Amino acid sequence: MIYQLVKQLVNQALAAQLIEREDEIYVRNQVLSLLHLVDFKEMVVSEESEIPDLLDQIVEYACEQGIIENLFDAKEIFSSKIMNCFIARPSNVNQLFYEKYQQNPKVATEYFYQLSKNSNYIQMKRIRNNIEYKAATEYGEIDITINLSKPEKDPRSIAREQAAEKTNYPKCLLCVENEGYAGRIDHPARSNHRMIRLNLVEEAWYLQFSPYVYYNEHCIVLFEKHTDMKISPTTFSRLIAFVEQFPHYFLGSNADIPIVGGSILSHEHYQGGNYEFAMAKADSDWTFAMGNFPHVECSIVKWPMSVIRLRSEQKGELVEAGAHILAKWKNYSDEAVGIIAWNDETPHNTITPIARKRGDFFELDLVLRNNRTSEEHPLGIFHPHADVHHIKKENIGLIEVMGLAVLPARLKEELEDVENYIIGKTADVANYHLSWAEELKAHYHSVADESNVESLVREEVGKKFLKALEDAGVFKRDEAGTAGFQRFIQSL
């Protein structure tokens, strides 16, 4: 059976163009070596399976034979090592990428995306477990994802991880030193990981895809050096430089301070991809002009968060306009709407920026952020409030800002309980959902049944996420908030 699995894996690698026919015997021998096999029997393959399914079966064989321990991390490391046999070295991958780039940037990124999926670096089999749908709002259709792609570790793996000797290599999950790194009990397997070398404003950067993509061609662009995230005028220059090189992609940055920032603030990096979010499609609420930047079109975006959109054909002036707004915002206070820029030496204001190219125009969206806390809102004043924590308690980072909710896996079963509660099939629902479930039951009791209750609850989850975005907006979309936003624009 193992010979058949190896044969099928080689066949699938040929079909996916991971290898050429001349590589067949070489890569087969590499895989046999990992499996401690010293011979090979040619088998007739009656059916073909997908690469992830074949990997799972081969890894299971390795566990049964005692080649590896039956632990999550050990299996991930072994699977990654197998697929590394089929992938070219980084220099070859980069050479082919830039050959294709000469044809068209889109051809190059599509090649690299397919390579990352076919090599199982992007875990498509697991990603398909995610629950994904769109929810209609007054701001357009927002995306909802219940993240089921990352498997739970078993208690033995967790215990091993806690007991593992700590090392500082690679320094974090993003560092370039992850490329080809085998992994260990407390660090993910990266043998099959490749990065594309980039030059952004005369600096060395790297392009990779997220192993658990949340949207089409979800990429990460990371700095060569392990330095802290920092939003600065240089950030805007880099984002614009990237979308000039890859005009079919957007690129944005998480904010650089806690609560409103991303999960990794210790390594300068951005996220982008070939996807148009609801925020990118949103219309303007109103427009304004800044006298010192006559070639920059300025508008306020119709969006639950506070977004300034700048458009120009002139990159330099666009970056300067963004830098002007950033400098003003970092020191801007308006206590009438709860905005205080500093507490002693602690800054509270920053920006989540997103860049894209539309025809000859460059666009820069600047989302105003503030991370203050209070007794009423200890997790953040401009953060999802307590009434939505049962759905979304985590930070509103770059992806959420643009209109894609990444919701915890617990919601899969919990929302099914809420659905059954609404139609009277169960009285058992998590305590933190109870008041919401009762409210929905009272509202939908006359129309909800097994045929439509799922769609009704999904719609209500969309409303909760929308409320989370509204909570994160520094200038609320009411009379006081609009007046406050106008005061800030006047200050520009």
Side-chain angles (χ1 to χ4, degrees):
M1 185 63 181
I2 188 60
Y3 300 126
Q4 198 173 57
L5 291 172
V6 172
K7 174 75 171 173
Q8 285 188 71
L9 185 60
V10 172
N11 287 351
Q12 288 298 325
L14 281 164
Q17 298 181 327
L18 282 172
I19 59 172
E20 302 294 333
R21 184 63 67 182
E22 295 87 342
D23 303 319
E24 183 177 356
I25 293 172
Y26 171 81
V27 295
R28 182 176 73 200
N29 285 335
Q30 296 298 302
V31 174
L32 292 176
S33 173
L34 288 172
L35 292 167
H36 299 180
L37 295 170
V38 294
D39 67 350
F40 180 73
K41 296 182 175 67
E42 280 289 352
M43 307 290 291
V44 176
V45 176
S46 56
E47 59 179 62
E48 296 288 357
S49 300
E50 298 293 319
I51 286 175
D53 296 324
L54 293 167
L55 276 176
D56 287 345
Q57 293 177 75
I58 292 171
V59 167
E60 211 52 51
Y61 167 87
C63 292
E64 290 166 3
Q65 298 298 313
I67 298 166
I68 60 170
E69 285 190 88
N70 191 6
L71 289 171
F72 174 81
D73 288 312
K75 292 194 283 189
E76 293 287 282
I77 289 167
F78 193 72
S79 175
S80 179
K81 282 181 178 177
I82 290 172
M83 289 314 300
N84 186 48
C85 299
F86 296 89
I87 317 174
R89 291 184 178 184
S91 57
N92 299 119
V93 172
N94 275 263
Q95 182 180 346
L96 187 51
F97 179 90
Y98 280 106
E99 284 174 7
K100 292 180 181 295
Y101 184 90
Q102 295 307 312
Q103 301 173 43
N104 187 301
K106 195 171 181 180
V107 172
T109 55
E110 282 175 353
Y111 149 72
F112 188 45
Y113 192 50
Q114 286 303 317
L115 175 71
S116 301
K117 288 195 292 186
N118 291 336
S119 65
N120 207 47
Y121 174 72
I122 298 177
Q123 302 267 354
M124 290 307 296
K125 182 180 177 182
R126 294 177 184 169
I127 290 162
R128 290 188 195 103
N129 293 327
N130 290 345
I131 295 171
E132 299 176 349
Y133 65 93
K134 292 183 181 290
T137 74
E138 62 183 291
Y139 305 99
E141 286 192 326
I142 57 176
D143 295 290
I144 308 292
T145 296
I146 297 177
N147 184 16
L148 303 170
S149 56
K150 210 163 187 182
E152 295 287 330
K153 291 191 178 185
D154 59 66
R156 286 195 308 145
S157 293
I158 294 169
R160 288 281 187 90
E161 189 170 319
Q162 291 169 342
E165 184 180 343
K166 301 304 175 191
T167 175
N168 201 33
Y169 182 86
K171 289 189 178 71
C172 77
L173 296 173
L174 293 175
C175 285
V176 67
E177 287 80 12
N178 283 280
E179 188 176 44
Y181 185 66
R184 55 180 190 267
I185 203 72
D186 62 340
H187 192 99
R190 292 290 182 259
S191 293
N192 57 340
H193 181 28
R194 301 292 184 268
M195 299 186 191
I196 300 300
R197 278 60 184 162
L198 299 176
N199 184 298
L200 299 180
V201 293
E202 304 305 315
E203 297 170 330
W205 286 73
Y206 297 87
L207 168 71
Q208 67 171 70
F209 289 108
S210 169
Y212 293 99
V213 291
Y214 290 127
Y215 51 85
N216 187 49
E217 296 178 51
H218 176 184
C219 72
I220 298 170
V221 176
L222 56 109
F223 193 32
E224 180 180 45
K225 298 170 186 170
H226 181 80
T227 56
D228 290 346
M229 293 279 292
K230 181 173 173 56
I231 302 299
S232 70
T234 306
T235 306
F236 306 149
S237 296
R238 293 166 179 158
L239 298 181
I240 295 296
F242 179 87
V243 297
E244 183 173 34
Q245 291 179 48
F246 302 96
H248 59 298
Y249 272 22
F250 77 89
L251 192 69
S253 175
N254 270 307
D256 54 350
I257 56 178
I259 297 176
V260 297
S263 57
I264 299 179
L265 296 180
S266 62
H267 194 126
E268 188 86 89
H269 72 285
Y270 311 130
Q271 292 183 80
N274 187 8
Y275 188 72
E276 190 171 41
F277 288 89
M279 193 182 86
K281 300 174 188 175
D283 294 330
S284 297
D285 246 354
W286 43 283
T287 61
F288 64 96
M290 291 190 292
N292 290 337
F293 309 101
H295 301 105
V296 179
E297 300 171 10
C298 313
S299 63
I300 304 303
V301 180
K302 184 183 178 184
W303 193 244
M305 296 182 70
S306 307
V307 187
I308 298 171
R309 179 166 292 161
L310 306 178
R311 295 182 80 242
S312 182
E313 293 181 271
Q314 298 188 14
K315 296 178 294 180
E317 192 169 317
L318 184 66
V319 168
E320 288 174 14
H324 173 64
I325 292 171
L326 175 66
K328 283 283 186 181
W329 176 246
K330 287 179 84 165
N331 294 293
Y332 185 81
S333 294
D334 186 343
E335 293 193 31
V337 286
I339 296 168
I340 298 172
W342 292 86
N343 180 12
D344 296 327
E345 299 296 309
T346 304
H348 292 302
N349 287 354
T350 189
I351 278 174
T352 300
I354 302 109
R356 65 185 74 86
K357 195 166 189 284
R358 296 192 194 274
D360 295 330
F361 280 81
F362 293 92
E363 277 187 1
L364 196 57
D365 284 355
L366 305 177
V367 188
L368 307 180
R369 312 299 302 272
N370 178 288
N371 77 340
R372 284 180 61 235
T373 60
S374 66
E375 280 189 30
E376 185 184 1
H377 303 294
L379 297 184
I381 297 169
F382 303 103
H383 176 87
H385 291 173
D387 61 329
V388 301
H389 284 178
H390 64 109
I391 296 295
K392 179 67 176 174
K393 190 176 182 179
E394 300 78 17
N395 289 6
I396 299 298
L398 171 69
I399 293 171
E400 284 89 358
V401 161
M402 296 183 291
L404 190 157
V406 181
L407 303 179
R410 62 176 173 82
L411 287 176
K412 180 181 185 294
E413 292 182 1
E414 291 175 3
L415 293 179
E416 288 172 3
D417 291 339
V418 170
E419 292 163 15
N420 288 329
Y421 186 87
I422 292 169
I423 60 177
K425 282 182 70 175
T426 183
D428 189 22
V429 67
N431 282 337
Y432 43 81
H433 289 309
L434 188 56
S435 62
W436 180 59
E438 287 173 345
E439 180 187 316
L440 297 187
K441 187 170 186 174
H443 184 69
Y444 289 118
H445 74 279
S446 61
V447 295
D449 56 37
E450 288 194 11
S451 69
N452 65 3
V453 68
E454 180 184 70
S455 62
L456 294 173
V457 169
R458 286 184 170 190
E459 187 180 318
E460 294 294 333
V461 169
K463 291 176 184 176
K464 285 286 181 179
F465 177 59
L466 180 58
K467 170 64 166 54
L469 292 181
E470 290 169 345
D471 290 342
V474 292
F475 295 111
K476 305 306 180 192
R477 294 180 60 79
D478 55 22
E479 193 174 333
T482 301
F485 211 162
Q486 289 171 340
R487 286 194 294 273
F488 175 64
I489 298 303
Q490 283 297 318
S491 79
L492 300 176

